[in-house]
Amino acid sequence: MGRNMALPLLLALAALVASLPSGSVATAGTAGAFDSWLSANQKDFAINQALYAKKAVGDTGSTIDESLSKAEDNKTTYVVDPKGGGDYKTITAAIDAIPEGNTGRVILDLKPGEYREKIFLNLSKPYVTFKSDPKNPAIIAWSDTAATLGKDGKPVGTVGSTTCAIESDYFVAYGVVFKNDAPLAKPGAKGGQAVALRTFGTKQAFYNCTIDGGQDTLYDHKGLHYFKDCVIKGSVDFIFGFGRSLYENCRIVSIVKEIAVLTAQQRTKTIEGAIESGFSFKNCSIMSEGGGDIYLGRAWGDSSRVIYAYTEMSKEVVPVGWDGWNIKQPESSGIYYGEFKCSGPGSDARKRVGWAVDLTEAQAKPFIGTHYIFGDSWILPPPTGNSPPSKKGSSGGAPATSPASSPESADSASSPESADSAASPKSASSASSPKSAYSAASKTKKKEL
Ligand SMILES: *[C@@H]1O[C@H](CO)[C@@H](O)[C@H](O)[C@H]1NC(C)=O
Ligand SMILES: *[C@@H]1O[C@H](CO)[C@@H](O)[C@H](O)[C@H]1NC(C)=O
Ligand SMILES: *[C@@H]1O[C@H](CO)[C@@H](O)[C@H](O)[C@H]1NC(C)=O
Ligand SMILES: *[C@@H]1O[C@H](CO)[C@@H](O)[C@H](O)[C@H]1NC(C)=O
C-alpha cells in the first residue's frame, strides 16, 4: 500500500495565498447524495453498536484484549539515559534489546534530554511504552525531509523522512516530544515534507506528548490511535493519513504566517480498510502561532472524514473551513466533514463549504468518545506512576492494569440536544462554493505516496 513510495506534495501554496477566497459564493449542492451518505454513516454505527457492546464486555468479563492483559502482567523496564546512567544510552539500542515477538510490556524509561536519533519500531515488537516526564521530557529529534537522500542515493520520501516510526501494536507514549527540526520549508515546497512521527500499528496511545514539525508533522498512517492531552504543531497537512483516531484535549497549533491545513485525511475506497478511517477531534483547541489562515482539512482521499466536536477555534480558521483539494464533486464523493458544538471566533459554521455538516447529536455520537476507536478493549491509563524495576532488577510481578476509567458511552458523551435545535446539513443557500479559489489553485496537486 505504498509505504515505500515518495510523497511529493506539489502544493503551490504561494498561488493559494494569492487566490484566497475573499468572500463566499453560494451555490446549490447535491443534497440528495449527501443526505444518503450521512444516513449510511449512521446506519453503519447502528449495526456496529452490537459489536461495540460485545467488545466492551469481553468473553471473561475482562474488558481488555487477552494478549494485552497478559503483557500487562509481565512488565519489564529498560532505563534509557543519554548521559549514560541507565541500561542504554540510546532508544535504538534499547529497542534492539527487545526480543522479536515480544509478549510482555517493555517500558523504556526515558530520562530527560535530547535523543538525536531516527527511530524505527518494528511490528515484531509490540507492547512497548516510551515513558517520560511531560514536565522534563525526553526529546526525540531528527531533521530529515522527503528530499533527504537515503543510503541508496535516492530521496527518502515522506515516509522515510520521519524521526520516529512506530509500526508495532499496543504502543504507548507518555510525556515524549517527537520532533522533526528540519528548517521549515517554503510553503508547499517540493520535498519539504518532514514527518516527526508516523504511526502505523494499531491500538496505540499517546498521552501528554508533543509532536512538533512543519509540513506533514504527524503521519497518522494506519490503525486505531488515541491522542490525549497532546500538542501537535505544523504547517501544511500536518495531521494526515488513514488512521482511525481520536484526538482528545489536544492543542493543534499552526506555526505559519501563510496558510496552514490541519488535516489531510486519506479515507478512500481504493485502499483496503481505509474506508474505516477518519480523524475525530474532541475538546481540542485550534490556534495559530504564526498568524496565517487555517483550514480545518482538505480531502486527500475521496471519502476523507474529519470531525471536530467541542473544539475551540481561533479567529485564523477561515470561514469556508474546508477544501476539497482535487476532488471534483466533494458533495457526492463520500467526503464527511463535520463540526459539533465548537466554539471560538473561527467556529462560525454559516459560511462553511456546503458539503460540510453541522452535526446533530445523533450524527456526532459515533465519533465523540473512545468507542469510536473501540477503546474499551485496549486503552489503558497513562503510565504516570513508578515503573517496575529495571530489567537488571527483578522483572514482572505488577498486577494487570485495569482499563482506563471506563471510556464514556455514546450517550454520556454530551448533553442531549433537542431535535429542533439540531442543525441539519447546511442549506445550499448558506453554503459557499466548494470550487473556491483555494480548491481551484490546488486542483492539479496531488499527494502521492
Ligand atoms: C514476559 O515477557 C518477556 C519479554 O517479552 C518474555 O520473554 C517472557 O516469556 C514473558 N513471560 C511470561 C511468563 O509470559
Ligand atoms: C521487521 O522485523 C522482521 C522480523 O525480524 C524483519 O524481517 C523485517 O525486515 C523488519 N522490517 C524492517 C522494515 O526492518
Ligand atoms: C497532561 O496534560 C493534561 C492536560 O493538559 C494536564 O492536565 C496534566 O497535568 C498533564 N500531566 C502532566 C504530568 O504534566
Ligand atoms: C478539555 O480539555 C482541557 C485541556 O485542553 C481540559 O483541561 C478539560 O478538562 C477538558 N474537558 C473535558 C470535558 O474533558
Side-chain angles (χ1 to χ4, degrees):
M1 54 117 291
R3 282 153 65 189
N4 302 318
M5 289 180 267
L7 168 48
L9 170 58
L10 307 171
L11 177 65
L13 215 67
L16 281 176
V17 176
S19 59
L20 260 184
S22 51
S24 47
V25 188
T27 52
T30 48
F34 189 63
D35 286 348
S36 54
W37 176 245
L38 283 182
S39 60
N41 271 274
Q42 279 178 262
K43 207 188 292 166
D44 177 55
F45 177 61
I47 291 166
N48 282 318
Q49 251 182 338
L51 181 68
Y52 296 172
K54 209 166 137 205
K55 279 184 188 257
V57 173
D59 347 303
T60 55
S62 127
T63 65
I64 59 174
D65 293 355
E66 205 180 312
S67 68
L68 176 59
S69 176
K70 280 208 179 107
E72 298 300 318
D73 270 340
N74 178 17
K75 289 182 181 156
T76 313
T77 300
Y78 298 1
V79 178
V80 187
D81 184 353
K83 295 182 192 79
D87 303 319
Y88 301 98
K89 276 179 97 163
T90 66
I91 295 170
T92 301
I95 287 175
D96 286 347
I98 298 171
E100 294 281 333
N102 174 51
T103 56
R105 172 67 59 187
V106 177
I107 299 166
L108 304 194
D109 182 354
L110 307 179
K111 296 303 173 199
E114 191 184 50
Y115 294 74
R116 199 104 212 139
E117 296 182 58
K118 204 169 154 82
I119 287 162
F120 180 84
L121 183 57
N122 196 306
L123 56 84
S124 62
K125 301 185 175 183
Y127 316 111
V128 175
T129 297
F130 286 7
K131 178 174 183 260
S132 181
D133 172 2
K135 303 209 156 58
N136 198 5
I139 301 166
I140 305 173
W142 197 253
S143 56
D144 279 352
T145 69
T148 301
L149 299 183
K151 286 196 190 100
D152 59 1
K154 297 193 184 118
V156 294
T158 300
V159 166
S161 74
T162 196
T163 297
C164 189
I166 304 293
E167 296 206 341
S168 64
D169 299 344
Y170 299 107
F171 176 82
V172 175
Y174 171 64
V176 177
V177 177
F178 298 94
K179 196 169 185 170
N180 187 316
D181 54 12
L184 190 60
K186 287 240 167 62
K190 190 176 175 186
Q193 301 88 344
V195 180
L197 173 66
R198 184 171 68 88
T199 61
F200 192 75
T202 194
K203 304 191 174 178
Q204 303 180 344
F206 298 81
Y207 299 99
N208 293 75
C209 289
T210 297
I211 301 129
D212 187 359
Q215 187 173 328
D216 292 24
T217 303
L218 171 56
Y219 197 166
D220 188 343
H221 200 157
K222 184 185 177 184
L224 305 172
H225 306 142
Y226 184 43
F227 294 89
K228 184 155 192 242
D229 299 326
C230 292
V231 178
I232 304 162
K233 295 185 172 194
S235 60
V236 181
D237 300 341
F238 66 88
I239 305 176
F240 68 110
F242 59 93
R244 180 176 175 115
S245 304
L246 177 66
Y247 294 81
E248 195 170 9
N249 307 0
C250 293
R251 225 162 63 222
I252 319 289
V253 185
S254 153
I255 58 165
V256 285
K257 58 183 192 303
E258 297 92 0
I259 293 180
V261 184
L262 302 193
T263 62
Q265 207 282 329
Q266 201 192 6
R267 182 165 178 252
T268 170
K269 301 168 190 110
T270 58
I271 298 174
E272 203 190 330
I275 204 72
E276 304 297 329
S277 72
F279 301 157
S280 171
F281 295 85
K282 181 184 177 193
N283 186 41
C284 293
S285 58
I286 294 171
M287 57 187 75
S288 174
E289 279 178 359
D293 283 346
I294 297 175
Y295 280 77
L296 298 175
R298 58 176 182 167
W300 185 14
D302 51 59
S303 306
S304 186
R305 179 160 69 175
V306 183
I307 300 300
Y308 292 91
Y310 310 107
T311 287
E312 184 165 346
M313 301 184 180
S314 68
K315 63 181 190 309
E316 291 84 3
V317 174
V318 294
V320 292
W322 309 87
D323 179 63
W325 208 341
N326 50 357
I327 305 293
K328 286 196 185 64
Q329 290 198 294
E331 52 287 72
S332 56
S333 81
I335 291 173
Y336 192 96
Y337 286 161
E339 289 161 74
F340 181 67
K341 298 194 169 181
C342 291
S343 60
S347 69
D348 184 351
R350 283 171 302 179
K351 287 182 177 165
R352 292 289 194 253
V353 289
W355 37 274
V357 57
D358 207 358
L359 299 166
T360 64
E361 175 86 23
Q363 289 163 345
K365 242 184 192 181
F367 302 99
I368 52 175
T370 47
H371 55 271
Y372 174 59
I373 48 173
F374 311 102
D376 310 30
S377 69
W378 62 274
I379 293 179
L380 302 171
T384 51
N386 289 332
S387 300
S390 103
K391 66 171 197 153
K392 286 178 178 158
S394 67
S395 86
T401 315
S402 58
S405 50
S406 72
E408 65 258 77
S409 70
D411 19 58
S412 72
S414 63
S415 59
E417 185 172 306
S418 71
D420 45 12
S421 73
S424 52
K426 279 172 293 299
S427 68
S429 61
S430 70
S432 64
S433 168
K435 276 194 169 269
S436 62
Y438 185 97
S439 41
S442 56
K443 188 167 288 164
T444 56
K445 287 114 204 152
K446 214 165 148 207
K447 195 175 185 76
E448 290 166 347
L449 274 198

